Amino acid sequence: MTDRSFLLALIVAAAAIFPAPAAATPDIDPPMLLVAKPKLSGSAWGTTVLIAKPLPNGGHIGFIVNKPTQMSLGEAFPEHAPSKKVVDLLFLGGPADLNIVFALVERHSVAADGTLEMAHDLFLATEARTVDHIIETESDHARFFVGVVIWRPGELDQELRRDLWFVDEPDPKLVLSKKTEGLWEELVRRSEAKAGMI
């Protein structure tokens, strides 16, 4: 099994185990917005904001949402005409699978073929044909990533016990915000203020 097919198998399994919840049934292990605490400054994860979703094996999958690259889709794929129309930069989603382009797209519906619900109204596409379709038809409501973050089973839980991350609910508008400069600082202030009220 290739790396990509292994990743797709994990995501498909996650979709089966974490289907869209019924209105009265809350998600037992919901997706998270992770904001690096200041103690991570100076590390590779310093000043990062991520969206993360649990996988059925006890691991998690996630994407850094505030690290744009210096390359657009059109520059990365000059032979693909629809990509040239996307003016937004590609984002560095994480250190794994840097040769794969992923798409997060905002939709007010259930997961379509080839997508997995990452959070309420936010869907992940990993298959090349699905990502291409999003580039061609929904790029205004999407963000494109190279790379992904994969936590081994129990790894993120351990990081949370070590108090490395502020945790919040993911908001599609925030995750796909065009302006990412200062986002980490704003979310740290908000998280610290919320923690101070408890």
Side-chain angles (χ1 to χ4, degrees):
M1 191 181 292
T2 65
D3 288 343
R4 185 179 184 106
S5 59
F6 175 71
L7 179 61
L8 290 174
L10 279 177
I11 292 170
V12 167
I17 290 181
F18 300 105
T25 309
D27 222 354
I28 295 169
D29 198 0
M32 298 170 271
L33 184 73
L34 301 173
V35 180
K37 289 198 170 182
K39 65 173 79 173
L40 281 172
S41 294
S43 78
W45 300 104
T47 72
T48 57
V49 178
L50 299 98
I51 182 171
K53 181 175 178 68
L55 294 172
N57 68 350
H60 290 77
I61 183 174
F63 295 89
I64 302 168
V65 301
N66 66 328
K67 299 292 180 186
T69 69
Q70 298 303 308
M71 182 178 291
S72 68
L73 272 174
E75 291 168 328
F77 303 102
E79 304 302 318
H80 187 240
S83 292
K84 294 179 182 177
K85 297 177 184 175
V86 180
V87 297
D88 295 330
L89 296 173
L90 277 166
F91 276 69
L92 175 63
D97 290 317
L98 290 168
N99 59 333
I100 299 175
V101 175
F102 301 89
L104 279 178
V105 61
E106 182 180 16
R107 290 183 180 147
H108 304 289
S109 63
V110 297
D113 286 345
T115 66
L116 166 71
E117 187 172 21
M118 280 290 286
H120 181 67
D121 290 340
L122 196 60
F123 298 88
L124 170 66
T126 61
E127 298 174 355
R129 64 179 175 78
T130 307
V131 172
D132 283 348
H133 182 71
I134 291 169
I135 291 169
E136 293 164 10
T137 62
E138 301 177 86
S139 63
D140 288 347
H141 306 286
R143 173 164 293 163
F144 302 95
F145 298 87
V146 289
V148 61
V149 180
I150 301 287
W151 287 271
R152 294 185 300 270
E155 193 172 21
L156 180 55
D157 297 324
Q158 185 179 55
E159 291 177 11
L160 293 173
R161 283 193 296 272
R162 289 171 55 204
D163 198 33
L164 301 179
W165 302 97
F166 291 112
V167 180
D168 206 342
E169 292 181 26
D171 173 6
K173 299 289 185 212
L174 187 146
V175 170
L176 301 179
S177 174
K178 301 290 185 189
K179 182 181 179 296
T180 59
E181 188 176 342
L183 178 63
W184 176 77
E185 292 84 354
E186 176 189 335
L187 291 176
V188 166
R189 283 193 298 271
R190 188 171 83 179
S191 298
E192 288 177 338
K194 192 183 295 185
M197 292 167 43
I198 295 174

